[in-house]
Every structure is written in C-alpha cells, then in structure tokens.
Amino acid sequence: MDIPIIVLENVTKVYHQGKIDVTAIDGFSVTVNKGDFTALCGPSGSGKTTILNIIGALDVPTAGRVTLEGNDLAALSRTALSSMRRDRIGFVFQAYNLIPVLTAYENAEFVLALQGKPEKERRARVMEMLQEVGLEGLENRRPEELSGGQQQRVAIARAMVTQPAVILADEPTANLDSATAAALLTIMEHLNTVHGITFLFSTHDQRVMDRARRIITLRDGKLAGDERKG
Amino acid sequence: MKIIPIALRNISRKRVRSAITIGSMAFAGFIMLFFAALGQGMLYTMEQNAVGVYLGDIQIHAPGYRSDPDLYTRVPDPAALVDKLEKAGFHAAPRLYGFGLAAASGNSSGIWMRGVDLIREPKVTLLDRQVMEGAWLSADKPKEVVIGKKLAYTLGVKPGGEIVVVSQAADGAMANDIYHVRGILKSVGDAVDQGGFLMVDAEFRRLMGVAEGTHEIAVARVDKDRILAEAADTVASLAPGMEVKTWRDLQPVLAKMIDVMDISLLFMLFIAYSAVGMVILNATLMNVFERIREFGVMKAIGVTPPQVFSLIMAEAVLEAVIANVLALGAGIPVVRYFEVHGIDLSNFSSGASLAGLALDPVWYCKLNTKALTMPVWFMFAVVLAAVIYPAMKAALLKPLDAMHHQ
Ligand SMILES: Nc1ncnc2c1ncn2[C@@H]1O[C@H](COP(=O)(O)OP(=O)(O)OP(=O)(O)O)[C@@H](O)[C@H]1O
Ligand SMILES: [Mg+2]
C-alpha cells in the first residue's frame, strides 16, 4: 500500500541571471511514497539540488505545486515552514552541513533543543543515534576535528534524531571514499528499514544508485526516467 | 531554544575571533572611561577652584552686605548658626572681612583683610592648601599673615617680610599694626591674588574692634551628591532673615561657563566615542558577516528568523558585558592612579585663568557616576546599533542565499 508523502506537480524553476533566464526545472512531476529509498540521478546541472531545495522549502518553484504530507508548501507561512523544516524534514547538505562551534553531540542535539525536548530525552536519543551511525566516542569533537565521512554521519544523525517524515540528502557520499560511502549507505538503509523513514538523495555515484530501490533520472530539469527495483 | 548557552558557546569556542571583538571593545571602553574621567576631572577641578578654594557651596550674609560690604552689617550669633548647620549635615565656616591699606619697603597697596576660623575653614574650602611659599596661618602666631601672590609681588615681600597695616576700626578709631608674612598663596583667583590678606579671626576681631557677629558664613555640603538648590533651601530655613546664596548665584558667569564646558565636553567625548565606536562597529559587523553561512545552516534546519536575531543580539550583548568588565577592570585602577597623580601640563600652559579663577595646569581624573556610566551605556548603545543591521540581515536572509554566501 503506497502512501504518497512528496508530490510534485508540474514544477518549474527559472533562475534569472542578469538578462538570461536559466530553466533549472522544467515541468517536473513525481510522487515519492512513504518508506521509499530513492536516488535522484542526472548529470551535473540537471537540477537535482534545485529539486531537493524546493521539496525542503528552501527554495520556491516558479510554477507548479509541491505538497509534503498533504500540505501545500505555497500556502504555509514563514514560521510554519520553519517548524516544518524543524519537525518533519531532515536535511543532509553536501557541504557546510554542521554548525562549526558545536560538538558532534551538540550538532546532533541542536534540532531537539529547538523543539524544546527535555534534556534526558535528548541525551538518550542523541546517544542512540550517534551509536547507530558509528560515532560513539567522538561525541565531543567539533566538526573541524572530524573527517569528511564522520561529519557527514553527524549530519545524518542530526537529520535522523528527530525522526522526521523525510530525509533529503544532497550527494551525501560525494566527498567520501568508497568504503566510507558504502558504510554510510548501510546506515541509511538500516534507518530506512527499521524506522520507516523516507529517503530521497541525489547522487552521481553508480554504486550508490545500485543500492537505491528506486531511481529517478533528471535531464535538463525534466524527468528522464523512473525505475523501481525488486 | 536556549539562546544564552548557545551564544556563550559561540563566544568561548571561537577564541581568536571573540578575543579580537571583545579586545577591541574593551580597548574602546578603556579609552572612553579614561576620557570621561579626565573630562569630569577638569570640570571637578574648575568647580573646586570656584567653590572649594574660597567660595564654598553656599554663603550666608546679613541682608544688604553683598551690595554694600560694610563692617557693621553682620550675621548675628554665628556660633549658634554654625552649630545648627553642622547638625543638619553641613560644614560651616564664619568669616570676617575688612578693607585696609598695607605698606612694605616703600610700596603700598589696598588690601582685603579676612579673619579666618582656623578649625572650620579647612572643612569648607581648600584655602589652607593653597600656600605656595612659607606656611599656613597658625593660632599661636596671630601676628603672622598669609597673603595673595600678586599682593606679595606689589609689596615686594617674601615670607618673613614685614607689613604695616592701616585701617578704620568699628569704633571709628584708627586701627594699625605690624604683621609678618607667614605664607604666600598660589594663584587662586583675581580678588585674593591682588588683595588677599588672611589673618587669624581672633586677631581680626582685636584689630578691627569687631566683637560680635560675622560677615559671611561659607557652607559646604558634607555629602557632595546632595542637590545644591535643596541644600540651599535647608540652609535658608536654618538662617531666617539672612541672605542665602549658592555659589551659582554668587558667580553666575562662572556657573554658566562650567555648564557650557560640561556640554562642550560631552560633545568632544561624543566625537572621541564615535571614533572608538567605529572600532566596535567594525568588530561586530565582521563577526556577523563571517558567519552568514552558519546562520544559513541553522535556518535550513528550522531556526526561525526571530531566533537567529536574538542569538546574534545575545552574543553581542554578552561580548559587550565581558568587554565592559575588562574595560572597567583595567580602567578603574588607571583612572584612580591619575586621580592622585595629575597629568602635569604646566610646560604647555601657564597661569591661565577663567572668570577670575585660576585654571590648574595639572589635570586629574575624576571617577564619578557620570564618568563610570557614560562609557558603559555608550558601548551598549554602539554595540546594539552596530549589530541590529547585520542581525536583521542574517535573520531575514533566505537560508540558501546564506549558505552560499561567500
Ligand atoms: N542560484 C542560482 N542562480 C542561477 N542559476 C542557478 C542557481 N542554482 C542553480 N542554477 C542553475 O540551475 C541548473 C540546475 O542546477 P542544480 O544545482 O540543481 O544542478 P545539480 O543537478 O544539482 O548539479 P550538480 O550535480 O552539479 O550538483 C544549473 O544550470 C545551474 O546553473
Ligand atoms: Mg547539486
């Protein structure tokens, strides 16, 4: 039984660069269901980041409609969008992921603190999540004291710890060596199957695509393929 | 979200950046404190010269004495009045005045004789500390006098020199006697410089035949923070029928000049403060703009614009608090030092006078409430003014733009 969680209808995004208009997304429609483990593929410049940003309400489409868990993003206020990002979405960006002055533990805890969760609950959840992503013992390190892969895992832990409906990850393995990338994917798969969290991640990497259960391909901002495995 | 702990963490973990920001704020605060204290010191010195050296805060005269300083126009029973004033929180010193002629070694000059209460006068004014050569009056040497600087020059006398004084006593008879110079005052004001002839009060009474009453009672507040006009009202109620004037009424030109000086000093401080304000502004702006990306990440993961705004404000205010503690911690001892050890400018200026009062060429700092609070408030005002714009900007930036900010 498929429950749609992300629905994009005819989404278009045009960037104005001086006098030139760049159409990053061109009439793109797709539905992502609850529990999907989906890769968003396509060559550089095809619009992967733009799509993720639009779904995460960090960017607004020029035309078309985006709904997340049934809510039309265009109809939500700034504050409502802030709390939606805080409570329902987990973000993993390609870079500048973490807050540099906070430790791994504090970064992972940050959103829970924003939500006003009590200290005890925060501690339990963060420790559990850091353990799941294999960072126990590194809680007190700051981002600059962690490797790229470890930072990315902190970002995943931060995204996961609130048990959001959806995790949006923009090339989560791009800066990682293949062993680390494979380990990270294992963690993501585990979280997906155990906690039922929907993943949508962009990637260039064939090995990552091989492990996705659904592959959506973009070309020039248009849907060029949608393949389900198994 | 707990803003303060996060703000504190930001400050404590970005050591170099925080040190630069707080350091420049603290330096600015230190300079501001020093200038404010120096300005207050100048004003204080001027007021001390006016009030402290011979005016006193408030003066009591018999009605009519000021327009016609007659030997017979006296405040009756000064001992009782002084007693009442001392019980009401004042120091009070009765004074006797008379005019005469002095001659020494072929020179002569008009003199303004003054009978001094040796116990009470030092509590009201600093006249006893203005002796430049020789020594202050002594009760056991009634024939020795202290005279003004220009008078000594006119008469051509030095300490130990002899002066013959001629005057008319209260009974109309001729009063004359020989005195020796015990001390010469430094420049304290034109009238005293040119004619000041100070003697022990008992000797004045004997010479001039004045047994009762006094010509003037100089009053000083024990608590200098007591409001002058209110103090004058209290004094007036204790001395019914007498004329009670504050130093501001007695020296309106000087009072006005000090007021103008106060304002122009504020203006100068403001210019100096604006210059250091730029340092604070710059440090604060850099601090925020350097971290636009960080704020972008925060907003992307759900921090609301008001929360970003409060966080930046909280950091700036906390830094200002620390900077103020440092500035005061370093500044107060320095200012205290210069309260005691003046900065001597006598090489650059000599013997300037203002409205008949000598200007002290040695500058002292004065740490009063104004000197202490002005820099603190100004620092907070500058920090808030400096940080509002970048904080608003960071709060309102779209998270994506912020994350891509270079
Ligand atoms: N802020 C922007 N202003 C103007 N053009 C933009 C902006 N962001 C993206 N674009 C353009 O939109 C198109 C899609 O960009 P997008 O970043 O979504 O691609 P991508 O698939 O994520 O690429 P990559 O794999 O290199 O990350 C590109 O042509 C890009 O130049
Ligand atoms: Mg991209």
Side-chain angles (χ1 to χ4, degrees), chain A residues 172-174 176-186 188 205 207-208 211:
Chain A
T173 61
L176 308 181
D177 62 81
S178 46
T180 316
L184 193 69
L185 241 82
T186 308
M188 287 163 62
D205 187 338
R207 285 162 304 186
V208 176
R211 293 175 69 167

Side-chain angles (χ1 to χ4, degrees), chain A residues 84-230:
Chain A
M84 195 194 70
R85 282 201 293 270
R86 187 186 67 199
D87 302 335
R88 306 306 299 157
I89 305 174
F91 277 105
V92 182
F93 305 103
Q94 192 177 328
Y96 317 130
N97 236 326
L98 304 176
I99 297 167
V101 294
L102 303 184
T103 62
Y105 178 89
E106 289 163 346
N107 263 288
E109 184 200 26
F110 192 85
V111 184
L112 288 176
L114 275 183
Q115 291 175 335
K117 291 277 189 299
E119 162 80 37
K120 238 189 176 154
E121 183 186 341
R122 294 205 304 260
R123 173 141 242 130
R125 284 221 234 165
V126 170
M127 291 316 279
E128 183 196 330
M129 199 53 64
L130 286 176
Q131 193 175 343
E132 272 198 78
V133 298
L135 286 176
E136 63 262 80
L138 302 180
E139 298 87 357
N140 293 323
R141 295 230 191 144
R142 288 204 264 149
E144 65 199 21
E145 299 160 341
L146 294 169
S147 73
Q150 289 166 337
Q151 288 185 34
Q152 210 63 324
R153 280 186 274 161
V154 175
I156 302 237
R158 179 184 66 196
M160 285 297 312
V161 80
T162 57
Q163 308 205 326
V166 164
I167 289 188
L168 304 171
D170 195 7
E171 312 209 27
T173 61
N175 292 330
L176 308 181
D177 62 81
S178 46
T180 316
L184 193 69
L185 241 82
T186 308
I187 293 163
M188 287 163 62
E189 279 169 347
H190 169 75
L191 296 172
N192 173 252
T193 44
V194 174
H195 298 278
I197 290 166
T198 310
F199 274 83
L200 180 61
F201 48 92
S202 71
T203 188
H204 278 118
D205 187 338
Q206 189 56 50
R207 285 162 304 186
V208 176
M209 288 180 232
D210 289 345
R211 293 175 69 167
R213 287 198 297 277
R214 180 183 175 190
I215 298 175
I216 296 168
T217 310
L218 270 171
R219 187 157 291 120
D220 297 329
K222 294 193 182 79
L223 186 67
D226 187 355
E227 177 197 348
R228 277 168 202 273
K229 294 190 245 175

Side-chain angles (χ1 to χ4, degrees), chain B residues 189-403:
Chain B
D190 293 340
V192 175
D193 288 357
Q194 283 167 15
F197 193 94
L198 279 54
M199 57 175 74
V200 180
D201 51 358
E203 173 61 19
F204 182 99
R205 289 193 191 279
R206 190 199 61 76
L207 176 72
M208 301 300 283
V210 175
E212 298 267 302
T214 198
H215 296 109
E216 176 175 290
I217 297 178
V219 180
R221 294 160 288 177
V222 173
D223 172 13
K224 287 288 174 202
D225 290 334
R226 197 161 161 188
I227 294 162
L228 186 63
E230 285 173 12
D233 290 343
T234 310
V235 171
S237 71
L238 294 174
M242 295 293 117
E243 194 180 80
V244 173
K245 298 273 183 199
T246 66
W247 72 268
R248 292 186 153 267
D249 305 325
L250 298 167
Q251 290 278 351
V253 176
L254 186 76
K256 192 96 206 149
M257 286 190 82
I258 288 181
D259 291 346
V260 169
M261 189 82 175
D262 197 3
I263 292 166
S264 50
L265 213 66
L266 266 185
F267 187 71
M268 266 154 50
L269 268 185
F270 184 75
I271 292 174
Y273 278 22
S274 303
V276 288
M278 287 299 177
V279 175
I280 298 176
L281 187 83
N282 195 37
T284 318
L285 281 178
M286 263 177 44
N287 190 353
V288 173
F289 280 115
E290 227 174 48
R291 293 158 62 215
I292 290 284
R293 266 186 207 158
E294 189 181 322
F295 297 126
V297 174
M298 285 191 185
K299 294 190 72 175
I301 62 176
V303 179
T304 61
Q307 285 172 323
V308 171
F309 183 81
S310 326
L311 179 65
I312 296 173
M313 292 305 258
E315 273 183 41
V317 169
L318 281 173
E319 285 178 333
V321 168
I322 300 171
N324 267 317
V325 169
L326 292 178
L328 296 182
I332 289 174
V334 170
V335 168
R336 284 260 182 259
Y337 176 85
F338 285 109
E339 270 188 325
V340 182
H341 304 83
I343 303 165
D344 193 347
L345 298 177
S346 53
N347 290 338
F348 304 102
S349 74
S350 61
S353 90
L354 191 62
L357 283 171
L359 271 189
D360 202 330
V362 183
W363 284 8
Y364 292 92
C365 285
K366 175 81 189 163
L367 193 65
N368 53 16
T369 323
K370 211 168 177 183
L372 204 59
T373 52
M374 267 196 321
V376 174
W377 289 126
F378 193 83
M379 169 134 40
F380 278 112
V382 170
V383 168
L384 289 183
V387 84
I388 277 180
Y389 168 72
M392 291 265 280
K393 202 166 155 113
L396 295 178
L397 259 183
K398 296 198 180 96
L400 271 190
D401 296 343
M403 280 192 287

